[in-house]
Amino acid sequence: MRRPIVAGNWKMYTRSADAHILATAVRNSVMNLEGIEVIICPPALWVSEVLAVVGRGGKIELGVQNMYFEAEGAYTGEISPLMVRDVAKYVIIGHSERRAYFGENNLDVNEKVLAALRSGLVPIICVGERKREGLPKEPRYQLEEALHRVPKKHYRDVIVAYEPVWAIGTGENAEPEYVAKVVSYLREVGLADTPVLYGGSVNSKNVEGYARRPEIDGLLVGSASVRAAEFASICQTWAKEKIFKA
Ligand code: PGA
């Protein structure tokens, strides 16, 4: 279902003590925010620890940044959907860094999306073009592939994150008008009820432009999400702009 969301992807940042401090600061600063869902995706090793800080059923939901699609087995080093389900609700799937550095392709992404849904997890499906182009075909194709064999009635159970690769971690955020246009293009796949987020160099200074676009339901924030005050400020702006329009 479409709803205002701010998700933080901590990537491979934080040591154990940092995770504890950061989670505590985020919890305290978003505690009283109404009208938005806040998701944090720490490194998998810290999820239980962060869960102990934010609590179950509180303001903050947790996610992981990746998982394997098998339920269990001899897959050294992997984590399964069932393991994730014990501690978190969300799983980021197909992040461009997974695609670029770990060889994940559209088939893997599709298997993971199906596995997440089978296990009652909400996949946050990441798509985005590598090079700037007019109306980019790449994310639309990635999305169609990611949703292959997913029954249409489940489209409302996933989240899509549109993240142009050229905007991730570069400081070169995509213009809100451009993002709004691509999001509408992606929705044509059948995503009328699906939350669509934007990600790519979002910070407290540029967040407002996205918040004002009704096409964009939320954000997937990377580097700014490991700075507590910055992330809190992004969440506050999102809540302020979106609350009356939800
Ligand atoms: P960034 O990362 O905010 O650091 O650009 C976004 C992401 O990778 O999800």
Side-chain angles (χ1 to χ4, degrees), residues 5-11 38-42 61 63-65 92 124 197 219-222 224-226 231 235:
I5 295 169
V6 178
N9 171 11
W10 291 7
K11 308 195 179 190
V38 178
I39 302 168
I40 49 186
C41 304
E61 294 286 355
V64 294
Q65 302 168 17
I92 297 174
I124 302 174
L197 321 181
L219 302 168
L220 180 52
V221 183
S225 74
V226 287
F231 188 65
C235 292

Side-chain angles (χ1 to χ4, degrees), residues 25-197:
V26 171
R27 179 198 65 197
N28 294 344
S29 58
V30 304
M31 205 148 52
N32 297 318
L33 284 185
E34 296 293 339
I36 60 163
E37 191 170 329
V38 178
I39 302 168
I40 49 186
C41 304
L45 272 180
W46 311 149
V47 173
S48 295
E49 188 163 338
V50 170
L51 179 62
V53 173
V54 302
R56 274 180 208 271
K59 180 88 229 163
I60 298 174
E61 294 286 355
L62 295 187
V64 294
Q65 302 168 17
N66 178 39
M67 65 173 195
Y68 193 47
F69 49 78
E70 293 290 354
E72 63 175 9
Y75 301 104
T76 301
E78 293 296 322
I79 56 173
S80 91
L82 298 179
M83 294 171 186
V84 176
R85 192 68 194 93
D86 285 344
V87 287
K89 180 172 171 191
Y90 292 96
V91 52
I92 297 174
I93 293 178
H95 189 280
S96 68
E97 288 150 15
R98 302 281 331 155
R99 295 178 192 258
Y101 306 135
F102 303 99
E104 271 193 29
N105 59 31
N106 290 333
L107 285 175
D108 301 317
V109 170
N110 179 234
E111 289 292 353
K112 291 181 180 192
V113 169
L114 291 166
L117 290 170
R118 265 198 310 273
S119 315
L121 290 166
V122 179
I124 302 174
I125 305 167
C126 298
V127 298
E129 75 280 13
R130 278 163 291 184
K131 284 209 190 82
R132 241 185 206 275
E133 41 175 314
L135 198 54
K137 302 260 179 308
E138 197 175 358
R140 170 103 165 223
Y141 179 69
Q142 289 171 332
L143 186 57
E144 283 165 355
E145 294 288 297
L147 292 171
H148 182 57
R149 293 179 291 156
V150 174
K152 282 232 156 53
K153 64 171 193 239
H154 285 308
Y155 283 15
R156 62 204 319 275
D157 304 327
V158 310
I159 294 176
V160 171
Y162 167 57
E163 300 204 297
V165 179
W166 50 266
I168 296 179
T170 57
E172 196 193 333
N173 61 303
E175 303 76 24
E177 302 69 40
Y178 172 77
V179 174
K181 231 181 262 169
V182 181
V183 167
S184 302
Y185 178 57
L186 295 177
R187 279 197 197 285
E188 288 173 13
V189 168
L191 305 183
D193 294 328
T194 309
V196 182
L197 321 181

